[in-house]
């Protein structure tokens, strides 16, 4: 058997693998000032809905569907050190809108590499995939959330590793911020995508970071107090009122205030609309156009969706719960959390 034939035989796989990745909400960056030795940092929660699925099956050659995601798949294979032409059919079914504030690209890349690695019986690297794939350079909420699920708090980047305030897509050598807390999140989440808001990414996002940072050190100090002194204890103690108050305060500080101001009067009208349905802790996820609110009641969540779905300010609306297990996988009919494969 020739070397080429032997390699091709090795790359032929028997398993059918599905990896399902959750969307994420990002409540706000904690420190975009000159204060202290760390920058960025953030908190958020992973969502059961929407999600994306990457399915990998044996094939005669590498085939990718849909075709417009071929470059993403090839990029992921290259950056993760995986074979460039595995005999696989890679099928991506995505319900997470791109550049909407729901962490689409991070979840897509992590799911691709995880599914292909499982199919090829490669050892999973774990959260370190984030920087390898050009993610987590600003926020690591989505990267840690893929593996851990639930509510995520990460500690930001040491200034020795990152000296500029930039979006992840523009960080040359991203590093993985430390995970400070992950845990289950008990409340209902209602989300909307606001009508008529342009996605923000690429050069536009980079220029917005450059023009609007650093933010004030006073805001950064307030963000630390709110997140570490109020939001995190509220999640741990299941204190709904304290949690939603902390989210509301964080939305008015630092870089999150910049993001909300950019969306202008229309964004504020969407926020008021969510609050009028009885939702609390209303806010904007990343740059949006995804907005969110929380409730302890499934009935309030259903009623909010009914009202919001009829309003012209919202193009789509849904209620969901926290994806407390993070990404999940189905391998030959056996279902498990992806994180279980790291042990």
């Amino acid at each position: 058997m020739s070397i080429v034939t032997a390699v091709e035989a090795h790359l032929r796989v028997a398993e059918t693998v599905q990896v399902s990745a959750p969307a994420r909400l990002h409540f706000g960056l904690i420190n975009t000032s000159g204060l202290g030795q760390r920058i960025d940092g953030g908190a958020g929660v992973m969502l059961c809905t929407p999600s994306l699925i990457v399915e990998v099956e044996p094939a005669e050659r590498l085939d990718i569907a849909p075709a417009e995601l071929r470059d993403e798949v090839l990029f992921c294979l290259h950056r993760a050190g995986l074979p460039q032409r595995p005999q696989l059919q890679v099928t991506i079914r995505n319900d997470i809108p791109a550049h909407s504030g729901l962490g689409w690209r991070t979840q897509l890349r992590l799911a691709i590499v995880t599914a292909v690695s499982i199919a090829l019986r490669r050892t999973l690297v774990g959260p370190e995939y984030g920087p390898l794939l050009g993610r987590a350079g600003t926020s690591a909420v989505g990267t840690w959330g893929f593996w851990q699920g639930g509510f995520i708090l990460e500690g930001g980047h040491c200034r020795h590793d990152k000296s500029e305030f930039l979006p992840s897509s523009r960080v040359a050598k991203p590093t993985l911020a430390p995970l400070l807390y992950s845990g289950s999140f008990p409340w209902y989440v209602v989300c909307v995508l606001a009508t008529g808001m342009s996605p923000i990414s690429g050069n536009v996002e980079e220029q917005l970071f450059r023009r609007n940072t650093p933010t004030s050190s006073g805001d950064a100090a307030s963000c630390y107090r709110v997140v570490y002194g109020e939001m995190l204890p509220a999640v741990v103690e299941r204190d709904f009122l304290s949690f939603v108050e902390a989210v509301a305060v964080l939305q008015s500080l630092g870089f999150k205030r910049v993001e909300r101001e950019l969306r202008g009067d229309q964004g504020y009208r969407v926020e008021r609309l969510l609050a009028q349905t009885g939702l609390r802790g209303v806010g904007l996820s990343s740059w949006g156009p995804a907005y969110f609110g929380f409730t302890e009641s499934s009935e309030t969540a259903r009623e909010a969706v009914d009202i919001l779905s009829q309003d012209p300010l919202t193009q789509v609306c849904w209620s969901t719960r926290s994806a407390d297990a993070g990404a999940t996988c189905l391998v030959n009919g056996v279902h498990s959390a992806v994180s279980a494969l790291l042990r």
Side-chain angles (χ1 to χ4, degrees):
M1 180 182 292
S2 70
I3 293 177
V4 172
T5 304
V7 169
E8 289 177 347
H10 175 68
L11 296 183
R12 189 178 296 277
V13 296
E15 289 90 348
T16 296
V17 177
Q18 285 186 350
V19 171
S20 178
R24 70 99 177 93
L25 294 181
H26 198 285
F27 301 149
L29 295 172
I30 296 172
N31 185 8
T32 51
S33 77
L35 177 71
Q37 297 302 310
R38 305 194 73 84
I39 64 173
D40 301 328
V45 67
M46 308 308 292
L47 304 179
C48 289
T49 305
S51 64
L52 63 85
I53 294 175
V54 176
E55 182 175 86
V56 175
E57 300 176 283
E60 292 300 317
R61 59 182 176 83
L62 177 62
D63 193 13
I64 299 165
E68 55 263 30
L69 292 178
R70 182 177 182 84
D71 288 346
E72 279 288 335
V73 173
L74 296 178
F75 171 86
C76 291
L77 296 179
H78 171 70
R79 294 296 293 268
L82 291 166
Q84 298 299 287
R85 290 185 294 175
Q87 291 173 288
L88 298 172
Q89 168 72 46
V90 180
T91 304
I92 299 166
R93 298 194 294 275
N94 176 40
D95 290 328
I96 304 176
H99 309 304
S100 61
L102 296 172
W104 162 76
R105 194 179 297 277
T106 296
Q107 300 306 303
L108 174 66
R109 291 183 177 179
L110 291 173
I112 289 169
V113 170
T114 301
V116 173
S117 296
I118 294 171
L120 296 180
R121 300 181 180 89
R122 297 298 182 95
T123 300
L124 292 179
V125 174
E128 290 76 12
Y129 275 135
L132 285 175
L133 299 174
R135 310 310 297 162
T138 300
S139 168
V141 170
T143 295
W144 283 112
F146 179 90
W147 298 96
Q148 302 291 334
F151 175 83
I152 301 291
L153 173 61
E154 52 94 346
H157 304 280
C158 177
R159 288 189 179 275
H160 296 298
D161 298 324
K162 183 182 180 185
S163 58
E164 293 183 281
F165 298 105
L166 292 170
S168 289
S169 62
R170 293 299 189 264
V171 177
K173 296 181 179 180
T175 59
L176 184 64
L179 176 67
L180 302 182
Y181 178 86
S182 67
S184 63
F185 184 83
W187 302 300
Y188 295 89
V189 187
V190 174
C191 299
V192 303
L193 295 184
T195 302
M197 287 189 180
S198 300
I200 293 175
S201 63
N203 291 333
V204 172
E205 185 178 20
E206 178 182 353
Q207 291 307 310
L208 287 170
F209 266 85
R210 292 190 183 280
R211 287 201 300 266
N212 292 285
T213 57
T215 55
S216 77
S217 58
D219 272 11
S222 295
C223 287
Y224 277 117
R225 173 185 58 78
V226 169
V227 173
Y228 290 89
E230 299 174 20
M231 183 183 294
L232 177 58
V235 172
V236 173
E237 295 181 345
R238 302 299 193 254
D239 181 348
F240 178 73
L241 293 180
S242 294
F243 170 75
V244 294
E245 177 62 24
V247 173
V249 173
L250 186 64
Q251 291 282 310
S252 68
L253 297 171
F255 201 71
K256 177 51 64 181
R257 181 169 59 209
V258 171
E259 292 171 329
R260 291 175 63 232
E261 287 176 349
L262 179 74
R263 293 306 189 179
D265 290 340
Q266 183 182 2
Y268 296 132
R269 290 198 300 271
V270 173
E271 292 177 11
R272 289 194 294 269
L273 179 63
L274 268 69
Q276 288 166 5
T277 68
L279 299 172
R280 305 288 300 275
V282 169
L284 173 70
S285 181
S286 298
W287 294 104
Y291 287 80
F292 58 81
F294 304 96
T295 177
E296 296 179 279
S297 163
S298 60
E299 181 178 357
T300 299
R302 287 194 300 269
E303 291 174 351
V305 171
D306 288 343
I307 295 170
L308 294 166
S309 61
Q310 299 177 48
D311 196 285
L313 286 173
T314 65
Q315 56 175 305
V316 64
C317 175
W318 68 97
S319 66
T320 186
R321 301 298 298 268
S322 168
D324 286 342
T328 59
C329 63
L330 186 68
V331 182
N332 288 344
V334 179
H335 189 271
S336 69
V338 169
S339 59
L341 302 179
L342 296 176
R343 303 190 184 106

